[in-house]
Amino acid sequence: MRYVAPLKDMLFVMNELADLAAVNTLPGCEDATPETVEAVLEENARFCSEVIAPLNQTGDRQPSAWKDGAVTTTPGFKEAFKAYGAAGWQGVQHPVYFGGQGLPKMVATPCMEMLNAANLSFALCPLLTDGAIEALMTAGSEAQKETFLPNFIAGKWTGTMNLTEPQAGSDLAMVRSRAVPQGDGTYKISGTKIFITYGEHDMAENIVHLVLARTPDAPEGVKGISLFVVPKFLVNADGSLGARNDAYCVSIEHKLGIRASPTAVLQFGDHGGAIGTLVGEENRGLETMFIMMNAARFAVGIQGIAVAERAYQKAVSYAKDRVQSKDLEGSATAVSIIHQPDVRRMLMSMRAQIEAARALAYVGAAAFDIAHHHADAEVRSSHQAFYEFLVPVIKGWATEMSIDVASTGLQIHGGMGFIEETGAAQYYRDARILTIYEGTTAIQANDLVGRKTARDGGAVARDIIARVRKTEAELAAAASADLQAIGRHLAAASTSLDEVVAYVVANIQADIKGVFAGSVPYLKLAGIVLGGWQMARAALIAQQKLNAQEGDAKFYQAKIATARFFADYYLSQAGAYRSAIVAGSSGVLALDEDQF
Amino acid sequence: MRYVAPLKDMLFVMNELADLAAVNTLPGCEDATPETVEAVLEENARFCSEVIAPLNQTGDRQPSAWKDGAVTTTPGFKEAFKAYGAAGWQGVQHPVYFGGQGLPKMVATPCMEMLNAANLSFALCPLLTDGAIEALMTAGSEAQKETFLPNFIAGKWTGTMNLTEPQAGSDLAMVRSRAVPQGDGTYKISGTKIFITYGEHDMAENIVHLVLARTPDAPEGVKGISLFVVPKFLVNADGSLGARNDAYCVSIEHKLGIRASPTAVLQFGDHGGAIGTLVGEENRGLETMFIMMNAARFAVGIQGIAVAERAYQKAVSYAKDRVQSKDLEGSATAVSIIHQPDVRRMLMSMRAQIEAARALAYVGAAAFDIAHHHADAEVRSSHQAFYEFLVPVIKGWATEMSIDVASTGLQIHGGMGFIEETGAAQYYRDARILTIYEGTTAIQANDLVGRKTARDGGAVARDIIARVRKTEAELAAAASADLQAIGRHLAAASTSLDEVVAYVVANIQADIKGVFAGSVPYLKLAGIVLGGWQMARAALIAQQKLNAQEGDAKFYQAKIATARFFADYYLSQAGAYRSAIVAGSSGVLALDEDQF
């Protein structure tokens, strides 16, 4: 199945909703002119469609395979990764000094979407490497940066995140891996890490593991965890590769999806100790890992949008091709199934959710750029707060949405959807990991409730709602019946969200379990209100363009119709979420363990 | 993973909600005493748990395999099917005259649920055989009945349904298979049939295909389709097996799920013609097939409940075992994840949807029994109408629910859920066929809108809503806050349903596409209102038992809490469905084909 990057929608969102022109004026973002950005996106689209996308189904059928500690990836992956590095795509958002392109996150985000849409399994290798770059940029020593970053950015070496252990999944306090200082500035690392994405493979010259472990006298819990960099091959002083380090892949998992991406069990230190160096300070590893994890969480949200887009394109193509049954209004002969109202409903549900999530994510990326580059500290800080509020929503909501969208895409294929050769089932299987790794939806929701809402008494949440209200006022003043309907749904939904924020803030002390019982519904409510807000903003702009007879009228009409659909079908759910969150916790918590 | 049949809930539903005692008084149902029924269910539970359930994961790993036209099923299936037939389970609901147990559908239904929960792939063989029995009972000649029914019921021969052809899926009007009369009462059948469940296998001595085909002078469309019985081995006059018939399996599909169940492509008549006999009259095949399909649709709804129950049991077990993180209220050490509120929410969402769907399906089965056995024609006819309204709802809603429940079950397992060896992913894959085969959810929804609602001007729908209103009145009069809250949600939801019925009836002529654009939301709305109604009835009864200090208080308290959860989380969605159906069609239908 071909992949055609949705450049038109991407550029609309970037230019009209996320204000690329404003980001372009920020110090350090001068290169990101609209023209350059469009050229970068077009080139990336070509690369992803032509080089990476064709390997997607291959990877599902010929997944990575483990033998005697070595992992052979899907045929074609090694060459594709080499081309990816050579073309400079690993460096889009990384510093020019280390060989990157130094473009804003807002530009890297659509590139990330395209790579993931092309091939979720392949894209995980660059995604994890981005995380490693982020961690070393933040907390690495100069020597670590000089040693690793240019090789990461050139696509010669790749990075991994080693958090999970058999007893320590969502709860990193239980990490047991050990790191013993050797007196020479290095540490000997030992322990077992599981679920390590691209923990072993044959696509790069070196694999650099970022590993959470405890030093001998570290305190218990999360405040006794340090972060180490442990390369597969030690690096000599001149930068050449040295001895094989004692970090071995003992097996890889047999998974439901993303089968081309090797998920490794890594054994550190079984043969004398793996040599690693500390990143940042001892016992502060989790802070650094969180920076890396926040970048990764945002990226996994993008993965959700990406796989959903791919599933949508496949479903549209099938719906246009497959001829079955007459038109309901009585055509003479059978028509393609895209004429059936329920197929329309399914396609619109896919499209509307994807567009809403994409808009929200790209707006989030722009906020990140402003938070990192704006001259004014107050502007930086307010945008940082907005971005941080959005990260769990983008990760949690966009990935939950992707499962629904992939499932709907399969449904549109009817019986053929259930046959593996068709390819629709792969998206349904692949998408299923996204709500789990980099923190389950519940973990995202806990973050949203605890750190992002309750901690500041709901201040950031209310600021955002106030911005939504301004859009509602514009919609109410519009002449179009569609915009007014969208405005009514948005107003009702943002009121529900406002009530939920008040409920969370008021009750978190006295009824912590009751509040957290509604955490995932709260996350989903925030997703539909904020996604619906972006769709409403898009509809307003589309209407202006239509009024001014500017640009592609079909595109803008579709944008309004899709926003209308989102309002009728998704914003309308806000009241049910509110009811579940505010009044539903007693039912959630009523049963004893033995009543299950 | 063990399967423990939920006998307590099954018997509660049968005795308290579906009124087994009343069914037991019907002519022909005298054997179905509460004591006999309980004994049958216990024995069936034992058989399914001990003999069938252990083969479920085996079947996923060692699916049916095709070689040179023959299909070898999963090791153990053949022996298990022999035991199934020998124990009389194929005959539970079929006539004593042909070797069955002659028990009501209401008793066969929990047996069907248990078999499917134990092993969806295995259960499909008996399920299709039930359909073939139903078709021959309805329209077969005496000779056909005598030849085939005793062998079906004894579990010696199995049946198949041959509808789909490559160009004829949801639209059977496009069936092209040919049937040419031979002048001796037989026909020569030729054509290709696809997606034939258990179309070839090694578990039975003979496989009897029921095949839709056209005679040479048949009219176009659905009124020119006849039904034929085409056995794999011809049957001699003395009942012994004769020559191999010209019906061959040319391949089986590589599927996302239910992998042990062979899905065959059958080629009829490539070597001189397959010999078949007509079932019923020429050109009326679809009517008979619809009887068979209605039974099968109800059964697929039960499959949804069954796989959901299995996924729920697995998730509960994992949630009780897996220790991770401290309790939110601050326990000294880590606790099992069932203590986390979001895990509770997920488990309750699974449990509540399963219990609601089970109750609705069993109540439907009781209506079927009354419709078939009651002495009074008017009572029969009103119950038949009720049952027919429920069939698309049970099929469509319970299967959509099963995908959600299986996905939630996987989520509860975290990263382990994505690993195939864990087993949770199998339910997610297996369940995914249920909204597709025997008519997609859209086909069920079209049936609900067209034949079941619009055709009688909404009369049956309103009768049902009036019954729901009576339950609301009882809830409003109750002293318990939970029951009152359930009553408020049910009243709001049934009002939404009532408005939607009015909308459907009023607009189907003038705006057929607009109405059908909301058909699946209408089906889901009907599902939550009718499922919520049964949960509300259950809660009322549970409260009476508690008030009277009768029975197991923990069970009844859990029933009320689960009904409350269903109301807060699902009945609350009714308004959003109403909004989408009544006001949402313009967004669904706005785009041109080329705007997708």
Side-chain angles (χ1 to χ4, degrees), chain B residues 407-441:
Chain B
S407 183
T408 303
L410 188 156
Q411 182 76 16
I412 288 172
H413 289 77
M416 291 306 296
F418 202 65
I419 307 299
E420 284 288 4
E421 284 74 7
T422 304
Q426 186 187 344
Y427 307 133
Y428 176 72
R429 291 186 286 101
D430 284 356
R432 195 62 195 79
I433 190 59
L434 302 179
T435 60
I436 296 172
Y437 66 19
E438 299 300 339
T440 63
T441 305

Tab-separated table of all heavy atoms in Angstrom, chain B residues 407-441:
chain	number	residue	atom	x	y	z
B	407	SER	N	-9.635	-5.419	23.966
B	407	SER	CA	-8.571	-4.423	23.922
B	407	SER	C	-8.255	-3.917	25.335
B	407	SER	O	-7.085	-3.753	25.708
B	407	SER	CB	-9.006	-3.273	23.011
B	407	SER	OG	-7.982	-2.320	22.894
B	408	THR	N	-9.272	-3.688	26.122
B	408	THR	CA	-9.069	-3.259	27.508
B	408	THR	C	-8.360	-4.339	28.311
B	408	THR	O	-7.477	-4.050	29.123
B	408	THR	CB	-10.429	-2.904	28.154
B	408	THR	OG1	-11.052	-1.894	27.367
B	408	THR	CG2	-10.252	-2.390	29.573
B	409	GLY	N	-8.742	-5.576	28.069
B	409	GLY	CA	-8.081	-6.682	28.768
B	409	GLY	C	-6.594	-6.721	28.459
B	409	GLY	O	-5.761	-6.914	29.353
B	410	LEU	N	-6.256	-6.507	27.212
B	410	LEU	CA	-4.849	-6.462	26.814
B	410	LEU	C	-4.147	-5.298	27.535
B	410	LEU	O	-3.050	-5.452	28.073
B	410	LEU	CB	-4.783	-6.299	25.293
B	410	LEU	CG	-3.424	-6.422	24.609
B	410	LEU	CD1	-3.621	-6.835	23.142
B	410	LEU	CD2	-2.614	-5.152	24.647
B	411	GLN	N	-4.815	-4.153	27.562
B	411	GLN	CA	-4.227	-2.951	28.194
B	411	GLN	C	-3.892	-3.205	29.668
B	411	GLN	O	-2.861	-2.735	30.158
B	411	GLN	CB	-5.230	-1.787	28.073
B	411	GLN	CG	-4.742	-0.452	28.637
B	411	GLN	CD	-3.736	0.253	27.745
B	411	GLN	OE1	-3.594	-0.085	26.580
B	411	GLN	NE2	-3.033	1.216	28.295
B	412	ILE	N	-4.761	-3.931	30.350
B	412	ILE	CA	-4.517	-4.209	31.771
B	412	ILE	C	-3.210	-4.974	31.972
B	412	ILE	O	-2.536	-4.812	32.985
B	412	ILE	CB	-5.740	-4.947	32.392
B	412	ILE	CG1	-6.898	-3.949	32.531
B	412	ILE	CG2	-5.395	-5.586	33.742
B	412	ILE	CD1	-8.215	-4.551	32.953
B	413	HIS	N	-2.835	-5.752	30.974
B	413	HIS	CA	-1.586	-6.510	31.061
B	413	HIS	C	-0.347	-5.663	30.786
B	413	HIS	O	0.782	-6.179	30.870
B	413	HIS	CB	-1.595	-7.683	30.060
B	413	HIS	CG	-2.525	-8.797	30.432
B	413	HIS	ND1	-3.884	-8.718	30.250
B	413	HIS	CD2	-2.290	-10.009	30.977
B	413	HIS	CE1	-4.441	-9.839	30.665
B	413	HIS	NE2	-3.507	-10.648	31.107
B	414	GLY	N	-0.525	-4.392	30.421
B	414	GLY	CA	0.636	-3.556	30.110
B	414	GLY	C	1.470	-4.180	29.011
B	414	GLY	O	0.928	-4.829	28.096
B	415	GLY	N	2.782	-3.999	29.094
B	415	GLY	CA	3.677	-4.526	28.063
B	415	GLY	C	3.506	-6.012	27.816
B	415	GLY	O	3.631	-6.485	26.681
B	416	MET	N	3.185	-6.763	28.862
B	416	MET	CA	2.997	-8.212	28.702
B	416	MET	C	1.820	-8.520	27.776
B	416	MET	O	1.788	-9.572	27.139
B	416	MET	CB	2.755	-8.884	30.061
B	416	MET	CG	3.972	-8.900	30.980
B	416	MET	SD	5.448	-9.633	30.204
B	416	MET	CE	4.876	-11.322	29.952
B	417	GLY	N	0.848	-7.618	27.730
B	417	GLY	CA	-0.308	-7.833	26.874
B	417	GLY	C	0.046	-7.885	25.397
B	417	GLY	O	-0.656	-8.501	24.596
B	418	PHE	N	1.139	-7.219	25.053
B	418	PHE	CA	1.553	-7.138	23.650
B	418	PHE	C	2.388	-8.341	23.232
B	418	PHE	O	2.655	-8.526	22.041
B	418	PHE	CB	2.333	-5.837	23.443
B	418	PHE	CG	2.380	-5.357	22.018
B	418	PHE	CD1	1.219	-4.958	21.369
B	418	PHE	CD2	3.574	-5.281	21.319
B	418	PHE	CE1	1.254	-4.498	20.053
B	418	PHE	CE2	3.620	-4.829	20.001
B	418	PHE	CZ	2.459	-4.437	19.368
B	419	ILE	N	2.812	-9.134	24.220
B	419	ILE	CA	3.609	-10.327	23.940
B	419	ILE	C	2.647	-11.478	23.663
B	419	ILE	O	1.773	-11.763	24.475
B	419	ILE	CB	4.502	-10.668	25.158
B	419	ILE	CG1	5.326	-9.453	25.593
B	419	ILE	CG2	5.380	-11.887	24.877
B	419	ILE	CD1	6.277	-8.932	24.561
B	420	GLU	N	2.816	-12.139	22.541
B	420	GLU	CA	1.827	-13.146	22.145
B	420	GLU	C	1.694	-14.278	23.156
B	420	GLU	O	0.593	-14.787	23.378
B	420	GLU	CB	2.158	-13.705	20.757
B	420	GLU	CG	1.791	-12.748	19.616
B	420	GLU	CD	0.280	-12.629	19.394
B	420	GLU	OE1	-0.488	-13.217	20.149
B	420	GLU	OE2	-0.104	-11.911	18.455
B	421	GLU	N	2.785	-14.692	23.767
B	421	GLU	CA	2.739	-15.830	24.684
B	421	GLU	C	1.787	-15.587	25.868
B	421	GLU	O	1.264	-16.533	26.456
B	421	GLU	CB	4.136	-16.162	25.220
B	421	GLU	CG	5.028	-16.877	24.221
B	421	GLU	CD	5.560	-15.974	23.111
B	421	GLU	OE1	5.342	-14.747	23.173
B	421	GLU	OE2	6.175	-16.501	22.163
B	422	THR	N	1.580	-14.333	26.223
B	422	THR	CA	0.695	-14.006	27.348
B	422	THR	C	-0.737	-14.467	27.086
B	422	THR	O	-1.443	-14.886	27.997
B	422	THR	CB	0.716	-12.486	27.595
B	422	THR	OG1	2.072	-12.074	27.797
B	422	THR	CG2	-0.120	-12.096	28.803
B	423	GLY	N	-1.168	-14.343	25.834
B	423	GLY	CA	-2.499	-14.841	25.480
B	423	GLY	C	-3.581	-13.774	25.375
B	423	GLY	O	-4.620	-14.006	24.759
B	424	ALA	N	-3.368	-12.606	25.977
B	424	ALA	CA	-4.398	-11.557	25.919
B	424	ALA	C	-4.579	-11.047	24.489
B	424	ALA	O	-5.684	-10.670	24.087
B	424	ALA	CB	-4.030	-10.402	26.849
B	425	ALA	N	-3.493	-11.021	23.739
B	425	ALA	CA	-3.564	-10.524	22.360
B	425	ALA	C	-4.438	-11.417	21.482
B	425	ALA	O	-5.057	-10.946	20.531
B	425	ALA	CB	-2.159	-10.403	21.774
B	426	GLN	N	-4.471	-12.704	21.815
B	426	GLN	CA	-5.309	-13.602	21.002
B	426	GLN	C	-6.774	-13.181	21.039
B	426	GLN	O	-7.468	-13.209	20.015
B	426	GLN	CB	-5.176	-15.055	21.476
B	426	GLN	CG	-5.932	-16.030	20.552
B	426	GLN	CD	-5.973	-17.469	21.069
B	426	GLN	OE1	-5.202	-17.847	21.960
B	426	GLN	NE2	-6.859	-18.265	20.508
B	427	TYR	N	-7.268	-12.770	22.194
B	427	TYR	CA	-8.679	-12.358	22.280
B	427	TYR	C	-8.923	-11.097	21.442
B	427	TYR	O	-9.969	-10.943	20.803
B	427	TYR	CB	-9.094	-12.125	23.735
B	427	TYR	CG	-8.783	-13.304	24.629
B	427	TYR	CD1	-8.165	-13.125	25.864
B	427	TYR	CD2	-9.091	-14.605	24.241
B	427	TYR	CE1	-7.859	-14.204	26.679
B	427	TYR	CE2	-8.785	-15.691	25.052
B	427	TYR	CZ	-8.171	-15.481	26.270
B	427	TYR	OH	-7.867	-16.546	27.072
B	428	TYR	N	-7.920	-10.201	21.486
B	428	TYR	CA	-8.004	-8.951	20.701
B	428	TYR	C	-8.053	-9.288	19.210
B	428	TYR	O	-8.787	-8.656	18.441
B	428	TYR	CB	-6.778	-8.105	21.047
B	428	TYR	CG	-6.596	-6.796	20.296
B	428	TYR	CD1	-7.421	-5.703	20.556
B	428	TYR	CD2	-5.571	-6.637	19.370
B	428	TYR	CE1	-7.214	-4.493	19.907
B	428	TYR	CE2	-5.359	-5.434	18.716
B	428	TYR	CZ	-6.191	-4.361	18.986
B	428	TYR	OH	-5.977	-3.170	18.342
B	429	ARG	N	-7.285	-10.280	18.798
B	429	ARG	CA	-7.301	-10.673	17.388
B	429	ARG	C	-8.549	-11.476	17.049
B	429	ARG	O	-9.200	-11.247	16.041
B	429	ARG	CB	-6.030	-11.476	17.055
B	429	ARG	CG	-4.765	-10.626	17.096
B	429	ARG	CD	-3.526	-11.382	16.626
B	429	ARG	NE	-3.045	-12.348	17.593
B	429	ARG	CZ	-3.251	-13.648	17.549
B	429	ARG	NH1	-3.921	-14.191	16.548
B	429	ARG	NH2	-2.765	-14.438	18.492
B	430	ASP	N	-8.879	-12.439	17.914
B	430	ASP	CA	-10.046	-13.289	17.642
B	430	ASP	C	-11.340	-12.469	17.565
B	430	ASP	O	-12.157	-12.667	16.667
B	430	ASP	CB	-10.205	-14.345	18.749
B	430	ASP	CG	-9.207	-15.503	18.631
B	430	ASP	OD1	-8.443	-15.546	17.651
B	430	ASP	OD2	-9.206	-16.361	19.538
B	431	ALA	N	-11.507	-11.561	18.523
B	431	ALA	CA	-12.768	-10.798	18.589
B	431	ALA	C	-12.994	-9.961	17.329
B	431	ALA	O	-14.134	-9.659	16.977
B	431	ALA	CB	-12.771	-9.892	19.822
B	432	ARG	N	-11.901	-9.627	16.662
B	432	ARG	CA	-12.009	-8.647	15.580
B	432	ARG	C	-12.835	-9.118	14.394
B	432	ARG	O	-13.302	-8.295	13.606
B	432	ARG	CB	-10.606	-8.198	15.126
B	432	ARG	CG	-10.638	-6.928	14.281
B	432	ARG	CD	-11.207	-5.771	15.070
B	432	ARG	NE	-11.601	-4.626	14.291
B	432	ARG	CZ	-12.738	-4.535	13.600
B	432	ARG	NH1	-13.603	-5.536	13.559
B	432	ARG	NH2	-13.007	-3.440	12.946
B	433	ILE	N	-13.040	-10.422	14.257
B	433	ILE	CA	-13.880	-10.908	13.149
B	433	ILE	C	-15.372	-10.721	13.455
B	433	ILE	O	-16.208	-10.685	12.546
B	433	ILE	CB	-13.603	-12.411	12.856
B	433	ILE	CG1	-14.294	-12.847	11.549
B	433	ILE	CG2	-14.051	-13.315	13.987
B	433	ILE	CD1	-13.888	-12.113	10.325
B	434	LEU	N	-15.708	-10.595	14.723
B	434	LEU	CA	-17.121	-10.740	15.101
B	434	LEU	C	-18.010	-9.624	14.566
B	434	LEU	O	-19.199	-9.837	14.342
B	434	LEU	CB	-17.248	-10.852	16.631
B	434	LEU	CG	-16.466	-12.005	17.277
B	434	LEU	CD1	-16.662	-11.983	18.787
B	434	LEU	CD2	-16.877	-13.351	16.709
B	435	THR	N	-17.448	-8.442	14.370
B	435	THR	CA	-18.272	-7.350	13.813
B	435	THR	C	-18.336	-7.421	12.294
B	435	THR	O	-18.914	-6.537	11.663
B	435	THR	CB	-17.695	-5.972	14.196
B	435	THR	OG1	-16.359	-5.859	13.668
B	435	THR	CG2	-17.650	-5.781	15.702
B	436	ILE	N	-17.697	-8.428	11.730
B	436	ILE	CA	-17.649	-8.526	10.267
B	436	ILE	C	-18.490	-9.685	9.740
B	436	ILE	O	-19.349	-9.500	8.888
B	436	ILE	CB	-16.186	-8.660	9.796
B	436	ILE	CG1	-15.400	-7.384	10.157
B	436	ILE	CG2	-16.122	-8.921	8.288
B	436	ILE	CD1	-13.904	-7.468	9.910
B	437	TYR	N	-18.252	-10.884	10.257
B	437	TYR	CA	-18.955	-12.014	9.624
B	437	TYR	C	-20.409	-12.140	10.079
B	437	TYR	O	-20.812	-11.529	11.041
B	437	TYR	CB	-18.162	-13.313	9.706
B	437	TYR	CG	-17.875	-13.998	11.023
B	437	TYR	CD1	-18.575	-13.757	12.179
B	437	TYR	CD2	-16.861	-14.964	11.068
B	437	TYR	CE1	-18.285	-14.443	13.349
B	437	TYR	CE2	-16.563	-15.656	12.232
B	437	TYR	CZ	-17.290	-15.389	13.369
B	437	TYR	OH	-17.008	-16.081	14.518
B	438	GLU	N	-21.179	-12.886	9.323
B	438	GLU	CA	-22.646	-12.945	9.506
B	438	GLU	C	-23.288	-11.565	9.406
B	438	GLU	O	-24.292	-11.296	10.066
B	438	GLU	CB	-23.026	-13.614	10.839
B	438	GLU	CG	-22.568	-15.044	10.993
B	438	GLU	CD	-23.131	-15.970	9.924
B	438	GLU	OE1	-24.161	-15.643	9.304
B	438	GLU	OE2	-22.511	-17.028	9.699
B	439	GLY	N	-22.725	-10.717	8.577
B	439	GLY	CA	-23.256	-9.358	8.410
B	439	GLY	C	-22.503	-8.385	9.293
B	439	GLY	O	-22.542	-8.509	10.513
B	440	THR	N	-21.853	-7.424	8.656
B	440	THR	CA	-21.102	-6.416	9.427
B	440	THR	C	-22.058	-5.639	10.330
B	440	THR	O	-23.273	-5.722	10.199
B	440	THR	CB	-20.447	-5.402	8.475
B	440	THR	OG1	-21.489	-4.712	7.770
B	440	THR	CG2	-19.508	-6.077	7.479
B	441	THR	N	-21.473	-4.854	11.206
B	441	THR	CA	-22.290	-4.013	12.090
B	441	THR	C	-23.193	-3.092	11.266
B	441	THR	O	-24.355	-2.853	11.642
B	441	THR	CB	-21.380	-3.190	13.015
B	441	THR	OG1	-20.514	-4.097	13.721
B	441	THR	CG2	-22.202	-2.409	14.035
